Amino acid sequence: MKVVSSKEDLTEIIDQLKAKKNSIGFVPTMGALHDGHLSLVERGFKDNSIMVVSIFVNPTQFDNKKDLDKYPRNLESDIKLLKKVSKDKIIVYAPTVEDIYGASVSSVSFSFDGLENEMEGKFRKGHFDGVGTIVKRLFEIVQPEFAYFGEKDFQQLQIIRKLVEKQHLNVKIIGCKIHREASGLAMSSRNSRLKKEYLEAAPFIYKTLNEAKKKFRKMSAQKVTKWVEAQFAKHELLKLEYFNIANVKSLKTLKRKSPKQKYRAFIAVFADDIRLIDNIALN
Ligand code: AMP
């Protein structure tokens, strides 16, 4: 498996592969890989002969320095996991902060037509400017035909689609299903930091999302939201940051249901000091 840390090396390899008519798919990640990430890479091999996986903990998308410092990093075990998918058709791009940002580690300011002001945007200031900056930069370096993003970060997925549309980027974005533990807990790099009791408590998040989905058939979004808030108010370990039922296109909070629109429920929860997010399609 080729592992490169400079954009010049990566570009040289990609140019050679493209000259041989390979199609290049791309999965950007922050490492600490798990089966959720691998499912994106596997999905990518349906459309592409070569997959590039970037592993880069992007400093500009963290609003919390402690979260950035504690983010799990383990390149060796990431490479081992990727080898399970393919030994010779994956290129790992693991750049340094300098290779990406040069001397100025800062983000560009974007407008995503308001998508950036909802949910994660409200609770993590500047987060989506950081995401937009890194993803645009990585697209310029990798120049993939397809890029794969998880619905686990559904708001991010919609923002990337908007980024591509507004900046006229030449890449097709494919959204991929959420990969879960047998317990229902959405796989996340952050799960590895959960202490035992919190790891055992965390499946409550997806269980509650499923119950909310059932209730949504008969109840208003406001009533379902109140019900979810009450469930977490009673919970001894998990602290709800937000639960929100929103339109999948605008990401705006649902006021009145329309049979023509698609909705999702979005949730952010603190388990100890670890922030977990999840979402579920409601109709
Ligand atoms: P991250 O390394 O957390 O930045 O994630 C990299 C990509 O993997 C993003 O597109 C995520 O949405 C996706 N991803 C993370 N966890 C999962 C999961 N459990 N299922 C599907 N995709 C995921």
Side-chain angles (χ1 to χ4, degrees):
M1 179 172 298
K2 289 201 174 77
V3 181
V4 296
S5 58
S6 89
K7 51 184 176 293
E8 289 78 16
D9 290 349
L10 183 71
T11 308
E12 197 183 316
I13 295 171
I14 288 178
D15 286 350
Q16 284 171 8
L17 287 164
K18 280 191 172 171
K20 289 184 192 148
K21 302 268 178 263
N22 284 286
S23 117
I24 309 289
F26 179 41
V27 176
T29 83
M30 297 207 297
L33 300 184
H34 49 67
D35 285 351
H37 295 111
L38 299 191
S39 71
L40 268 55
V41 181
E42 276 160 3
R43 172 65 187 79
F45 276 119
K46 288 190 181 167
D47 310 311
N48 307 278
S49 47
I50 297 288
M51 290 298 296
V52 176
V53 178
S54 63
I55 295 179
F56 179 65
V57 182
N58 174 36
T60 64
Q61 72 188 69
F62 285 81
D63 60 332
N64 179 334
K65 172 97 172 49
K66 226 169 101 186
D67 192 23
L68 170 63
D69 292 343
K70 286 195 173 167
Y71 201 85
R73 294 161 168 90
N74 194 340
L75 184 59
E76 286 310 308
S77 72
D78 288 346
I79 291 168
K80 229 178 175 175
L81 273 182
L82 287 170
K83 280 185 180 161
K84 290 204 303 193
V85 181
S86 169
K87 288 202 170 53
D88 57 347
K89 304 287 182 206
I90 298 175
I91 301 164
V92 176
Y93 176 45
T96 58
V97 172
E98 213 203 340
D99 195 52
I100 295 288
Y101 286 102
S104 163
V105 186
S106 60
S107 43
V108 179
S109 187
F110 291 96
S111 161
F112 299 114
D113 294 349
L115 296 180
E116 72 278 24
N117 300 325
E118 307 296 328
M119 300 182 286
E120 293 298 285
K122 278 188 194 142
F123 288 91
R124 301 183 72 188
K125 288 284 162 229
H127 172 66
F128 288 119
D129 280 339
V131 169
T133 303
I134 185 62
V135 171
K136 184 162 183 261
R137 185 85 192 97
L138 289 168
F139 283 171
E140 285 161 0
I141 296 170
V142 178
Q143 307 228 351
E145 203 170 315
F146 295 88
Y148 301 83
F149 290 85
E151 289 182 348
K152 158 85 177 6
D153 303 278
F154 192 86
Q155 184 172 12
Q156 169 175 281
L157 168 63
Q158 298 300 60
I159 281 179
I160 301 298
R161 288 191 164 125
K162 185 66 81 179
L163 173 81
V164 167
E165 176 197 316
K166 291 190 83 163
Q167 307 265 332
H168 309 289
L169 306 179
N170 189 18
V171 53
K172 294 177 205 79
I173 303 301
I174 312 286
C176 304
K177 294 259 165 290
I178 302 175
H179 219 74
R180 298 181 180 281
E181 303 286 355
S183 66
L185 176 64
M187 287 190 181
S188 163
S189 304
R190 290 188 166 88
N191 293 354
S192 66
R193 290 186 48 220
L194 290 171
K195 287 187 205 125
K196 189 166 175 279
E197 55 187 320
Y198 288 94
L199 188 62
E200 283 167 7
F204 182 77
I205 300 168
Y206 185 54
K207 191 169 156 267
T208 308
L209 283 181
N210 268 306
E211 286 179 34
K213 177 175 180 153
K214 276 192 214 137
K215 290 190 185 294
F216 183 73
R217 291 191 203 126
K218 290 182 234 133
M219 278 183 181
S220 69
Q222 291 83 345
K223 282 206 169 124
V224 176
T225 304
K226 286 236 153 59
W227 179 82
V228 170
E229 286 169 356
Q231 303 316 299
F232 279 92
K234 286 188 274 186
H235 201 285
E236 283 176 2
L237 289 174
L238 302 175
K239 257 182 63 194
L240 181 68
E241 185 171 58
Y242 67 77
F243 172 84
N244 187 33
I245 294 179
N247 182 297
V248 296
K249 286 240 168 71
S250 68
L251 299 180
K252 287 208 178 307
T253 300
L254 166 59
K255 298 265 158 51
R256 199 179 302 154
K257 281 184 206 175
S258 153
K260 288 189 196 129
Q261 299 291 322
K262 292 265 179 238
Y263 304 107
R264 262 181 193 255
F266 297 85
I267 195 165
V269 171
F270 276 98
D272 211 358
D273 61 341
I274 297 158
R275 191 171 179 278
L276 302 174
I277 59 169
D278 201 346
N279 66 85
I280 193 168
L282 294 178
N283 62 339

